[in-house]
Amino acid sequence: MFRKVSILYKENDNLAIETAMKVQEWLKNKNVECVLFHSVGAFSSFNHSEIMAIQSSDAVIVLGGDGTMLSASRIINGRKIPIIGINMGTLGFITEIQRTDLWKSLELIFSGSYDIEERSMLNAQVFRDEETINEYLGLNDLVIGKGIMAKISDFELIINNIYVSTIKADGIIISTPTGSTAYNLSAGGPILFPTLKGLVFTPICPHTLSVRPVVLPDNFIIDLVISSNVKDIFLTIDGQIGFPLKINDRVRCRVADEKTYLIAPVGRDYFRVLREKLRWGER
């Protein structure tokens, strides 16, 4: 039973705010302590005491969309604190509980009827002149791409310290199975079942059509070296954190030691999720 719960809701969303207040009251009636009641968004910042409060919770309830879930996942930072995602938007691959099922789902979860899924996360390090200058954690993906200048870039691809190829493309996506239905899918990459162990390497608009997405084991290390002097190349984590890159910068990506833990409704059918979100079978 969860005795301490944090509620995170999408900022500037009146429906999410109103629902969060109702959930807070519902939890109080269940004698559950609400340790934090705070808005969260892609670029929200939290002070140290707020982060510590979230990280000391038994569970976190997120009211928003997938972006809000991604933010919450990074705040939790790999601790084994399950996240209950309530979809307040439209798509929502990670926030699987629909707002219309909110109260029924909460009753089931707080009576002990739920499953917990372990999701892989990415660790990304940026090296410049052989020194680590930044390190990031993400749940969905990392993207290396250009800014407003429409110019192809060169990326040296190195896997497990073995040179593979120099790829000319608009950019590169490295995705977890959870993130395979995000930018990776739009760029022509495959859908991976979210609890699989692995990574997807997907070029964005490659100059050579033979360069295709590749699925790799979860113990592989991928290095990408920026080998062309193109301005405005950025590393982006989960579509929310950006960092400018320079020629000869090396981005190293691997599956992180940290995990994200998501609460899923008992008997949840992932293929039903795909049918509903991607409208499979419709003409």
Side-chain angles (χ1 to χ4, degrees), residues 36-278:
L36 185 68
F37 190 72
H38 196 278
S39 63
V40 61
F43 303 100
S44 292
S45 59
F46 292 79
N47 62 42
H48 179 72
S49 62
E50 289 170 334
I51 292 173
M52 293 301 294
I54 295 171
Q55 293 179 350
S56 65
S57 301
D58 297 323
V60 172
I61 296 176
V62 172
L63 299 161
D66 284 354
T68 321
M69 287 285 284
L70 294 171
S71 297
S73 172
R74 290 196 306 276
I75 292 167
I76 292 171
N77 198 36
R79 288 166 175 78
K80 198 166 185 178
I81 303 170
I83 304 174
I84 305 167
I86 311 299
N87 183 21
M88 305 299 293
T90 53
L91 197 56
F93 279 98
I94 313 175
T95 48
E96 293 183 8
I97 298 174
Q98 300 304 309
R99 180 166 49 88
T100 52
D101 297 328
L102 170 61
W103 305 113
K104 178 179 70 175
S105 297
L106 287 180
E107 285 286 358
L108 288 171
I109 290 169
F110 281 84
S111 66
S113 182
Y114 60 86
D115 295 321
I116 296 181
E117 290 187 350
E118 181 182 285
R119 301 289 185 91
S120 296
M121 302 185 76
L122 293 176
N123 174 276
Q125 294 174 282
V126 181
F127 294 88
R128 182 170 295 167
D129 298 326
E130 303 302 322
E131 292 186 5
T132 303
I133 60 172
N134 260 314
E135 188 167 2
Y136 302 98
L137 186 68
L139 175 58
N140 256 9
D141 52 32
L142 72 80
V143 177
I144 302 175
K146 52 188 174 46
I148 60 174
M149 298 295 293
K151 188 173 182 180
I152 289 174
S153 305
D154 291 347
F155 306 93
E156 291 182 18
L157 173 62
I158 301 164
I159 299 177
N160 291 345
N161 292 318
I162 299 173
Y163 171 77
V164 177
S165 178
T166 297
I167 296 173
K168 294 180 178 292
D170 283 358
I172 302 293
I173 305 167
I174 300 177
S175 168
T176 65
T178 297
S180 67
T181 49
Y183 196 178
N184 165 75
L185 181 61
S186 298
I191 296 174
L192 272 63
F193 198 81
T195 55
L196 277 177
K197 307 298 183 186
L199 295 171
V200 185
F201 171 86
T202 303
I204 304 170
C205 299
H207 186 64
T208 304
L209 294 179
S210 59
V211 177
R212 310 305 300 166
V214 180
V215 180
L216 298 168
D218 67 342
N219 61 344
F220 275 34
I221 297 174
I222 303 171
D223 285 292
L224 289 162
V225 179
I226 312 301
S227 54
S228 59
N229 192 16
V230 178
K231 293 182 179 180
D232 299 326
I233 293 184
F234 291 87
L235 168 67
T236 307
I237 304 296
D238 285 347
Q240 298 181 339
I241 300 173
F243 181 77
L245 299 173
K246 298 180 179 181
I247 188 171
N248 296 323
D249 281 356
R250 178 186 295 257
V251 178
R252 174 166 294 168
C253 180
R254 62 176 177 83
V255 173
D257 296 331
E258 296 85 354
K259 308 295 180 185
T260 291
Y261 302 89
L262 303 181
I263 287 185
V266 173
R268 175 277 242 135
D269 179 0
Y270 181 69
F271 297 104
R272 178 184 175 185
V273 174
L274 294 181
R275 286 196 304 272
E276 291 177 350
K277 306 298 184 183
L278 301 180

